[in-house]
Amino acid sequence: MKRNTIIKPGGGLLTRRRFGILAGAGALTLALPTYLRAQENPKVVVIGGGAGGATAARYIAKDSEGSIDVTLIDDSESYTTCFFSNLYLGGFKDFQQITHAYDDLVANHGITKITGMATAVDREAKIVRMEDGSEVPYDRLVVSPGIDLIWDSVPGYSEAAAGIAPHAWKGGPQTELLKQKLDALEDGQSVVMVAPPNPYRCPPGPYERASMMAHVFKEKGFENSRVIILDPKESFSKQGLFQEGWEKHYPGMVEWYGPDVIGEIVSVDVEAGAVETGFDTFEGALLNIIPAQKAGMIAQEASLTDDSGFCPVEADSMRSTVDENIYVIGDASIAGDMPKSGFSANSQAKVAAMNVRADLTEAQAFPARYSNTCWSLIETDDGVKVGAQYQPVDGKITSMEGFVSQTGETAELRKETYEESEGWYSGIIEDIFS
Amino acid sequence: MALHSIHSNPSPGKAARLAAIPGFFFLLAVPALADQESDGFVERVLAVDANAAYGEYLSSQCTACHGRSESQIPVIRGLPAEYFVEALHEYQTGKRDNDVMKSQVGSLSEEEIAALAAYFANQEPQ
Ligand SMILES: Cc1cc2nc3c(=O)[nH]c(=O)nc-3n(C[C@H](O)[C@H](O)[C@H](O)COP(=O)(O)OP(=O)(O)OC[C@H]3O[C@@H](n4cnc5c(N)ncnc54)[C@H](O)[C@@H]3O)c2cc1C
């Protein structure tokens, strides 16, 4: 069992063990973690320090100016973004550039960060239970745990198998493992990717990733390596744009097969590097298996999910439809027409933050507005994007005005689009973590 | 929330020419823009009694991209209100061309633009 680490505003790092020693020495009040002390302020707890959760914590703390106590729970000391992780794979970013600490959230906004795993929510008592047995009480809870993988959606795949055939669909060690394995390939060795069924995080993600893998092969002058995508979907996000780009930059290198060609994905053997489909068995020196997805474990544990495996929410607030004291944002939520993306999670967090403040303080809640843009890089300076605005209509978050890059755009416009994505990345990181 | 009417075919305005000049601090030094070239839109919006709390909430949509460091995406904190309003109007009318911005501001009402302009004009750029 892992012990929590608690970082409080104003410095001081308390582990529960040290707390015990200090308490024994009579320093009880000083050493008590903030969340155990009797509080006048309403308490908000956020589970998940990613794109959704860290944004929510920051906005609630920042805009309530000390009138709400905010505790952010994440199982890690730092957060590696999945967004731009494909650019890391392609060699456009290093790992440090996509990894971010929570220090500024603590120092600038007085947020208490607990590093540890939340394992249960007692909705009746309004308490989050941590893996080490400690309890964190809340008045409002924001749940943003991201996704969990449904391992057996690809027969033969498992958490253990991910050590050999990484999914890299959660940021961190998996991302690094996939890059190591990609970089170790030699000319003639291929990647076989199994793409996920809908709904999943980042609809264009697998295809941007295939582009970045092909980029690595091309940079190394490989002529005989392939990136083969086996897809359970008949079509995919920005398909025309990706296929045009693959043809242009990586002719013959990227092969995509939908269910009309391969039928079902029957099973995967990660030791043998083989994926058996209804049509044929595909072999690759590197398998990248991206299984089906559901809301992060804690959302299931707290019974916030429905049959789809994700969490229904009210379209005008992101409040859970099953518990009025809980908001669910990001990939774990069912957000109508919005895709599961970091941009969406960040946007939903702001709507939730405003409503949390309105619940607990005098703050006003305005009509919800959401937005999203997903940029993808196909090859150096060849960026594309898709995006929209969303508003609640008849209880559903509904797409209002959308746009998507076009095939045949000028190189100049594609370069601008890529540079815009760079600007977005630095902007959103500041908006989440500063 | 009322949608404002979108003016078609505006003549090229000063703001469009200014936008071509790089450097945010230069823009700050430029005196307030006259409004003869935007059908009275800027003047009308600037006359709106802006709701500060609403501006703060709406601004959080902008700050997903517009941060404190200059990039392909400009810093908008601290922009003079006149300039801000005219720029948003130009995205709405298509005089400025960017898909993301067009979709972001397409449905903003005059009241919402006023609230945003007032909010950002009051922010420190850094
Ligand atoms: C390859 C790839 C590329 C992508 N590219 C883009 C892109 O270009 N643009 C874009 O907008 N999006 C992109 N995304 C999607 C984006 O990463 C996700 O949609 C986004 O991270 C969702 O945010 P979230 O807050 O829901 O979850 P996450 O960001 O995953 O955050 C959840 C956090 O909660 C923690 N956690 C979960 N459960 C617990 C618990 N019980 N206790 C403690 N901590 C817990 C997790 O460890 C994690 O840190 C991409 C995704 C992938 C995989």
Side-chain angles (χ1 to χ4, degrees):
Chain A
M1 188 178 68
K2 282 202 299 193
R3 281 171 196 281
N4 297 336
T5 310
I6 303 164
I7 309 179
K8 299 200 308 160
L13 190 143
L14 292 176
T15 62
R16 287 184 60 80
R17 185 174 292 147
R18 212 182 109 205
F19 155 60
I21 295 164
L22 284 171
L28 188 69
T29 13
L30 271 180
L32 263 175
T34 317
Y35 68 85
L36 293 178
R37 225 183 289 152
Q39 288 295 326
E40 307 258 329
N41 280 345
K43 292 183 274 295
V44 173
V45 173
V46 180
I47 302 178
T55 305
R58 178 171 180 267
Y59 271 79
I60 295 166
K62 172 171 83 66
D63 294 343
S64 65
E65 296 172 341
S67 63
I68 296 177
D69 289 346
V70 180
T71 299
L72 177 61
I73 299 172
D74 191 279
D75 56 339
S76 180
E77 302 278 356
S78 61
Y79 175 74
T80 300
T81 60
C82 279
F83 30 113
F84 273 30
S85 68
N86 288 329
L87 275 68
Y88 160 73
L89 214 55
F92 292 86
K93 299 280 159 209
D94 63 39
F95 198 71
Q96 286 315 312
Q97 287 173 298
I98 60 166
T99 301
H100 309 278
Y102 296 104
D103 303 359
D104 288 348
L105 289 180
V106 174
N108 298 343
H109 307 290
I111 293 168
T112 299
K113 166 72 181 11
I114 300 182
T115 301
M117 198 69 187
T119 47
V121 178
D122 182 338
R123 285 169 30 195
E124 199 85 337
K126 294 202 266 179
I127 283 170
V128 176
R129 278 188 224 295
M130 302 295 296
E131 192 180 20
D132 71 349
S134 59
E135 297 182 340
V136 194
Y138 64 84
D139 295 299
R140 288 293 180 280
L141 176 66
V142 179
V143 177
S144 189
I147 51 134
D148 263 359
L149 300 165
I150 305 175
W151 301 105
D152 59 7
S153 67
V154 181
Y157 198 55
S158 64
E159 192 164 3
I164 299 170
H167 53 81
W169 221 242
K170 291 184 176 197
Q174 276 279 307
T175 321
E176 286 182 293
L177 182 64
L178 183 61
K179 179 155 177 66
Q180 276 166 24
K181 288 184 174 269
L182 177 69
D183 288 348
L185 295 181
E186 291 171 7
D187 194 9
Q189 295 187 307
S190 293
V191 180
V192 176
M193 174 194 291
V194 174
N198 291 319
Y200 63 98
R201 71 166 25 159
C202 195
Y207 315 98
E208 179 185 56
R209 176 176 286 177
S211 308
M212 292 295 96
M213 288 170 157
H215 168 81
V216 168
F217 289 165
K218 185 177 161 185
E219 287 281 290
K220 291 184 172 176
F222 288 6
E223 291 184 349
N224 303 305
S225 292
R226 301 278 174 273
V227 181
I228 297 162
I229 308 165
L230 305 177
D231 211 322
K233 302 181 295 296
E234 271 154 28
S235 61
F236 60 88
S237 171
K238 298 189 254 194
Q239 183 162 354
L241 296 166
F242 280 113
Q243 288 180 329
E244 176 195 54
W246 294 339
E247 195 60 37
K248 177 173 174 197
H249 302 297
Y250 318 112
M253 200 178 257
V254 183
E255 298 173 18
W256 176 81
Y257 300 108
D260 52 335
V261 176
I262 55 166
E264 292 223 320
I265 312 259
V266 177
S267 69
V268 45
D269 181 341
V270 298
E271 304 277 354
V275 182
E276 188 190 339
T277 72
F279 168 66
D280 201 355
T281 297
F282 293 81
E283 289 182 356
L286 171 56
L287 303 186
N288 175 206
I289 310 296
I290 311 167
Q293 293 156 35
K294 61 183 179 186
M297 167 279 293
I298 192 73
Q300 326 267 336
E301 202 62 44
S303 304
L304 298 168
T305 50
D306 69 12
D307 290 345
S308 71
F310 293 95
C311 306
V313 293
E314 287 169 8
D316 57 359
S317 63
M318 301 304 293
R319 193 190 300 270
S320 164
T321 56
V322 300
D323 189 328
E324 62 179 6
N325 299 314
I326 299 182
Y327 292 79
V328 184
I329 56 176
D331 291 350
S333 67
I334 302 172
D337 292 341
M338 294 185 85
K340 298 188 187 301
S341 75
F343 200 127
S344 295
N346 168 268
S347 175
Q348 293 156 6
K350 291 161 184 173
V351 171
M354 172 180 69
N355 282 282
V356 166
R357 289 196 301 120
D359 286 354
L360 301 176
T361 68
E362 302 287 285
Q364 202 181 339
F366 296 101
R369 281 173 167 276
Y370 303 94
S371 62
N372 177 61
T373 301
C374 287
W375 286 268
S376 304
L377 186 61
I378 302 177
E379 169 59 306
T380 310
D381 289 337
D382 191 357
V384 292
K385 59 185 169 183
V386 57
Q389 295 297 303
Y390 305 84
Q391 282 178 33
V393 178
D394 299 332
K396 182 185 163 209
I397 300 180
T398 306
S399 172
M400 309 302 283
E401 280 166 78
F403 60 87
V404 58
S405 297
Q406 302 298 308
T407 52
E409 284 173 345
T410 62
E412 193 190 356
L413 179 56
R414 290 297 178 84
K415 182 164 192 269
E416 259 175 40
T417 302
Y418 168 62
E419 285 169 355
E420 191 175 78
S421 76
E422 287 272 0
W424 164 73
Y425 189 84
S426 68
I428 200 158
I429 291 306
E430 187 186 310
D431 200 38
I432 300 172
F433 290 108
S434 75
Chain B
M1 266 175 293
L3 292 184
H4 78 80
S5 58
I6 293 185
H7 305 260
S8 54
N9 295 325
S11 56
K14 271 188 198 163
R17 292 197 297 276
L18 283 174
I21 303 169
F24 166 70
F25 292 102
F26 175 79
L27 292 176
L28 267 187
V30 170
L33 296 164
D35 189 30
Q36 321 101 335
E37 291 161 342
S38 59
D39 299 343
F41 181 89
V42 174
E43 206 167 57
R44 212 162 54 243
V45 171
L46 289 175
V48 171
D49 192 8
N51 181 330
Y54 193 31
E56 181 172 24
Y57 165 61
L58 288 173
S59 75
S60 69
Q61 286 226 15
C62 314
T63 54
C65 298
H66 292 275
R68 290 186 163 77
S69 53
E70 198 70 50
S71 67
Q72 175 78 15
I73 297 177
V75 175
I76 58 172
R77 286 183 178 86
L79 278 183
E82 295 90 331
Y83 178 83
F84 188 96
V85 173
E86 180 142 2
L88 259 57
H89 186 51
E90 288 178 352
Y91 282 117
Q92 290 187 325
T93 59
K95 194 153 85 182
R96 283 180 188 235
D97 187 19
N98 179 289
D99 286 341
V100 180
M101 282 307 295
K102 199 170 173 148
S103 135
Q104 285 281 344
V105 307
S107 67
L108 289 179
S109 68
E110 294 187 4
E111 291 72 22
E112 289 169 327
I113 294 179
L116 279 168
Y119 175 81
F120 280 115
N122 269 322
Q123 297 292 302
E124 294 291 329
Q126 292 312 308

mmCIF file of all heavy atoms in Angstrom, chain A residues 214-230:
data_model
loop_
_atom_site.group_PDB
_atom_site.id
_atom_site.type_symbol
_atom_site.label_atom_id
_atom_site.label_comp_id
_atom_site.label_asym_id
_atom_site.label_seq_id
_atom_site.Cartn_x
_atom_site.Cartn_y
_atom_site.Cartn_z
ATOM 1 N N ALA A 214 5.624 7.008 -39.068
ATOM 2 C CA ALA A 214 6.134 7.016 -40.442
ATOM 3 C C ALA A 214 7.203 8.095 -40.607
ATOM 4 O O ALA A 214 8.203 7.898 -41.312
ATOM 5 C CB ALA A 214 4.986 7.249 -41.423
ATOM 6 N N HIS A 215 6.990 9.219 -39.902
ATOM 7 C CA HIS A 215 7.995 10.296 -39.943
ATOM 8 C C HIS A 215 9.350 9.794 -39.437
ATOM 9 O O HIS A 215 10.394 10.093 -40.028
ATOM 10 C CB HIS A 215 7.507 11.481 -39.100
ATOM 11 C CG HIS A 215 8.548 12.517 -38.838
ATOM 12 N ND1 HIS A 215 8.888 13.490 -39.760
ATOM 13 C CD2 HIS A 215 9.361 12.725 -37.764
ATOM 14 C CE1 HIS A 215 9.851 14.242 -39.262
ATOM 15 N NE2 HIS A 215 10.160 13.800 -38.058
ATOM 16 N N VAL A 216 9.318 9.025 -38.351
ATOM 17 C CA VAL A 216 10.568 8.492 -37.793
ATOM 18 C C VAL A 216 11.242 7.562 -38.808
ATOM 19 O O VAL A 216 12.456 7.645 -39.045
ATOM 20 C CB VAL A 216 10.300 7.763 -36.449
ATOM 21 C CG1 VAL A 216 11.502 6.957 -36.000
ATOM 22 C CG2 VAL A 216 9.891 8.769 -35.374
ATOM 23 N N PHE A 217 10.454 6.693 -39.444
ATOM 24 C CA PHE A 217 11.026 5.792 -40.464
ATOM 25 C C PHE A 217 11.645 6.589 -41.609
ATOM 26 O O PHE A 217 12.737 6.307 -42.072
ATOM 27 C CB PHE A 217 9.926 4.873 -41.035
ATOM 28 C CG PHE A 217 9.435 3.817 -40.066
ATOM 29 C CD1 PHE A 217 8.253 3.125 -40.330
ATOM 30 C CD2 PHE A 217 10.142 3.498 -38.921
ATOM 31 C CE1 PHE A 217 7.794 2.145 -39.461
ATOM 32 C CE2 PHE A 217 9.683 2.520 -38.039
ATOM 33 C CZ PHE A 217 8.503 1.849 -38.316
ATOM 34 N N LYS A 218 10.912 7.593 -42.052
ATOM 35 C CA LYS A 218 11.372 8.393 -43.191
ATOM 36 C C LYS A 218 12.672 9.130 -42.855
ATOM 37 O O LYS A 218 13.615 9.138 -43.647
ATOM 38 C CB LYS A 218 10.278 9.394 -43.571
ATOM 39 C CG LYS A 218 10.565 10.209 -44.820
ATOM 40 C CD LYS A 218 9.358 11.105 -45.120
ATOM 41 C CE LYS A 218 9.720 12.253 -46.038
ATOM 42 N NZ LYS A 218 8.579 13.172 -46.224
ATOM 43 N N GLU A 219 12.726 9.720 -41.662
ATOM 44 C CA GLU A 219 13.924 10.430 -41.219
ATOM 45 C C GLU A 219 15.142 9.518 -41.235
ATOM 46 O O GLU A 219 16.259 9.941 -41.529
ATOM 47 C CB GLU A 219 13.747 10.947 -39.783
ATOM 48 C CG GLU A 219 12.808 12.115 -39.646
ATOM 49 C CD GLU A 219 13.470 13.414 -40.053
ATOM 50 O OE1 GLU A 219 14.356 13.872 -39.320
ATOM 51 O OE2 GLU A 219 13.088 13.959 -41.124
ATOM 52 N N LYS A 220 14.912 8.252 -40.885
ATOM 53 C CA LYS A 220 16.024 7.298 -40.831
ATOM 54 C C LYS A 220 16.320 6.688 -42.186
ATOM 55 O O LYS A 220 17.203 5.830 -42.291
ATOM 56 C CB LYS A 220 15.695 6.180 -39.839
ATOM 57 C CG LYS A 220 15.673 6.632 -38.387
ATOM 58 C CD LYS A 220 15.435 5.411 -37.519
ATOM 59 C CE LYS A 220 15.595 5.718 -36.060
ATOM 60 N NZ LYS A 220 15.264 4.551 -35.231
ATOM 61 N N GLY A 221 15.559 7.068 -43.186
ATOM 62 C CA GLY A 221 15.782 6.543 -44.536
ATOM 63 C C GLY A 221 15.288 5.115 -44.729
ATOM 64 O O GLY A 221 15.716 4.427 -45.668
ATOM 65 N N PHE A 222 14.413 4.651 -43.851
ATOM 66 C CA PHE A 222 13.887 3.290 -43.991
ATOM 67 C C PHE A 222 13.034 3.194 -45.262
ATOM 68 O O PHE A 222 12.252 4.093 -45.555
ATOM 69 C CB PHE A 222 12.997 2.915 -42.794
ATOM 70 C CG PHE A 222 13.747 2.670 -41.516
ATOM 71 C CD1 PHE A 222 15.115 2.898 -41.422
ATOM 72 C CD2 PHE A 222 13.080 2.202 -40.381
ATOM 73 C CE1 PHE A 222 15.800 2.677 -40.233
ATOM 74 C CE2 PHE A 222 13.759 1.978 -39.189
ATOM 75 C CZ PHE A 222 15.114 2.224 -39.113
ATOM 76 N N GLU A 223 13.189 2.101 -45.973
ATOM 77 C CA GLU A 223 12.387 1.914 -47.180
ATOM 78 C C GLU A 223 11.440 0.729 -47.078
ATOM 79 O O GLU A 223 10.508 0.607 -47.862
ATOM 80 C CB GLU A 223 13.310 1.740 -48.396
ATOM 81 C CG GLU A 223 14.032 3.045 -48.707
ATOM 82 C CD GLU A 223 14.878 2.992 -49.950
ATOM 83 O OE1 GLU A 223 15.079 1.882 -50.480
ATOM 84 O OE2 GLU A 223 15.345 4.066 -50.373
ATOM 85 N N ASN A 224 11.718 -0.141 -46.120
ATOM 86 C CA ASN A 224 10.936 -1.383 -46.072
ATOM 87 C C ASN A 224 10.076 -1.546 -44.820
ATOM 88 O O ASN A 224 9.467 -2.588 -44.634
ATOM 89 C CB ASN A 224 11.883 -2.575 -46.217
ATOM 90 C CG ASN A 224 12.686 -2.480 -47.504
ATOM 91 O OD1 ASN A 224 12.119 -2.355 -48.585
ATOM 92 N ND2 ASN A 224 14.003 -2.473 -47.388
ATOM 93 N N SER A 225 10.047 -0.537 -43.984
ATOM 94 C CA SER A 225 9.196 -0.616 -42.783
ATOM 95 C C SER A 225 7.823 -0.037 -43.084
ATOM 96 O O SER A 225 7.683 0.859 -43.912
ATOM 97 C CB SER A 225 9.843 0.163 -41.628
ATOM 98 O OG SER A 225 11.027 -0.480 -41.210
ATOM 99 N N ARG A 226 6.824 -0.563 -42.409
ATOM 100 C CA ARG A 226 5.441 -0.110 -42.625
ATOM 101 C C ARG A 226 4.785 0.204 -41.285
ATOM 102 O O ARG A 226 5.157 -0.358 -40.259
ATOM 103 C CB ARG A 226 4.600 -1.207 -43.291
ATOM 104 C CG ARG A 226 5.095 -1.685 -44.639
ATOM 105 C CD ARG A 226 4.652 -0.745 -45.759
ATOM 106 N NE ARG A 226 5.243 -1.125 -47.040
ATOM 107 C CZ ARG A 226 6.441 -0.712 -47.475
ATOM 108 N NH1 ARG A 226 7.196 0.083 -46.731
ATOM 109 N NH2 ARG A 226 6.892 -1.096 -48.653
ATOM 110 N N VAL A 227 3.786 1.088 -41.343
ATOM 111 C CA VAL A 227 2.892 1.282 -40.203
ATOM 112 C C VAL A 227 1.523 0.782 -40.655
ATOM 113 O O VAL A 227 0.915 1.347 -41.569
ATOM 114 C CB VAL A 227 2.790 2.761 -39.785
ATOM 115 C CG1 VAL A 227 1.870 2.906 -38.570
ATOM 116 C CG2 VAL A 227 4.173 3.340 -39.494
ATOM 117 N N ILE A 228 1.094 -0.316 -40.040
ATOM 118 C CA ILE A 228 -0.175 -0.944 -40.443
ATOM 119 C C ILE A 228 -1.209 -0.688 -39.363
ATOM 120 O O ILE A 228 -0.987 -1.000 -38.186
ATOM 121 C CB ILE A 228 0.031 -2.461 -40.646
ATOM 122 C CG1 ILE A 228 1.024 -2.681 -41.797
ATOM 123 C CG2 ILE A 228 -1.296 -3.163 -40.918
ATOM 124 C CD1 ILE A 228 1.642 -4.059 -41.819
ATOM 125 N N ILE A 229 -2.327 -0.090 -39.748
ATOM 126 C CA ILE A 229 -3.390 0.213 -38.779
ATOM 127 C C ILE A 229 -4.555 -0.733 -39.016
ATOM 128 O O ILE A 229 -5.107 -0.784 -40.112
ATOM 129 C CB ILE A 229 -3.887 1.665 -38.935
ATOM 130 C CG1 ILE A 229 -2.711 2.647 -38.899
ATOM 131 C CG2 ILE A 229 -4.906 2.001 -37.844
ATOM 132 C CD1 ILE A 229 -3.078 4.034 -39.407
ATOM 133 N N LEU A 230 -4.905 -1.489 -37.981
ATOM 134 C CA LEU A 230 -6.069 -2.381 -38.045
ATOM 135 C C LEU A 230 -7.180 -1.726 -37.246
ATOM 136 O O LEU A 230 -7.023 -1.468 -36.050
ATOM 137 C CB LEU A 230 -5.709 -3.751 -37.456
ATOM 138 C CG LEU A 230 -4.476 -4.417 -38.089
ATOM 139 C CD1 LEU A 230 -4.168 -5.735 -37.386
ATOM 140 C CD2 LEU A 230 -4.664 -4.627 -39.591
#
